Amino acid sequence: MVHMSGHRPYVIRGSVSLPEAELMWRFSRSSGPGGQHVNTSDSQVELRFDLARTEALPEVWKERALERLATRLVDGVVSVRASEHRSQWRNREMAATRLASLLAEATAPPPKPRRATRIPRGINERRLREKKRRGETKQGRSGKGWG
């Protein structure tokens, strides 16, 4: 595992961003595009972040993320891979952006509960009248009582 530093922070939401010191990077050979170049360069990137032990996220966010990402975590660590690009640098950017958006989604507050509203009586009556009329129209097509 390699620790990288020296570029812009990846913002999760508001003033909270991924702490550079807590990101663990691993590079390996990619199976993606690149011809013979692929056999010699470690362009695949795996980015790991210890969600369970981080101090960078507010406690509420952390609990929410741990709960929502439970299926993706291994010992409290979330990992993201990127190998679409030939360049390691672009794959690194991609992995960090993916992790930031994954955490943003996982820490988002739950949606407000829907408030049930009643259907106005007039609308319901109009629907029933229309239904009755439609039924009568169809009844008239049956040819019953013609002779």
Side-chain angles (χ1 to χ4, degrees):
M1 295 282 168
V2 184
H3 289 277
M4 305 301 295
S5 63
H7 58 69
R8 65 184 177 81
Y10 295 95
V11 177
I12 297 173
R13 198 169 52 254
S15 61
V16 182
S17 56
L18 285 174
E20 198 63 52
E22 294 183 31
L23 298 180
M24 296 166 281
W25 300 87
R26 192 165 69 196
F27 308 100
S28 56
R29 302 241 165 97
S30 174
S31 62
Q36 288 105 347
H37 172 76
V38 118
N39 304 325
T40 59
S41 65
D42 292 344
S43 62
Q44 177 173 286
V45 175
E46 183 183 4
L47 175 56
R48 296 162 51 98
F49 178 65
D50 195 339
L51 189 57
R53 291 185 192 82
T54 187
E55 297 294 315
L57 299 177
E59 203 54 44
V60 181
W61 286 22
K62 198 159 116 174
E63 285 169 20
R64 222 180 269 157
L66 285 168
E67 188 182 311
R68 290 182 185 168
L69 297 174
T71 56
R72 286 193 66 150
L73 298 176
V74 178
D75 298 329
V77 177
V78 66
S79 81
V80 174
R81 270 212 178 107
S83 61
E84 296 81 40
H85 302 290
R86 284 180 60 163
S87 106
Q88 185 190 95
W89 178 252
R90 282 173 67 190
N91 281 333
R92 261 187 7 214
E93 291 285 307
M94 192 85 164
T97 306
R98 253 184 222 158
L99 181 62
S101 65
L102 182 73
L103 289 174
E105 212 172 284
T107 58
K112 287 193 171 79
R114 180 187 176 277
R115 263 185 39 212
T117 55
R118 278 187 53 232
I119 298 170
R121 198 157 99 222
I123 290 178
N124 217 11
E125 285 173 359
R126 188 170 65 213
R127 181 182 65 87
L128 292 173
R129 272 200 310 272
E130 189 58 40
K131 212 172 146 135
K132 191 105 180 125
R133 215 189 65 185
R134 193 90 186 112
E136 287 165 1
T137 303
K138 290 187 172 191
Q139 197 76 45
R141 293 183 188 150
S142 71
K144 282 187 186 157
W146 277 20

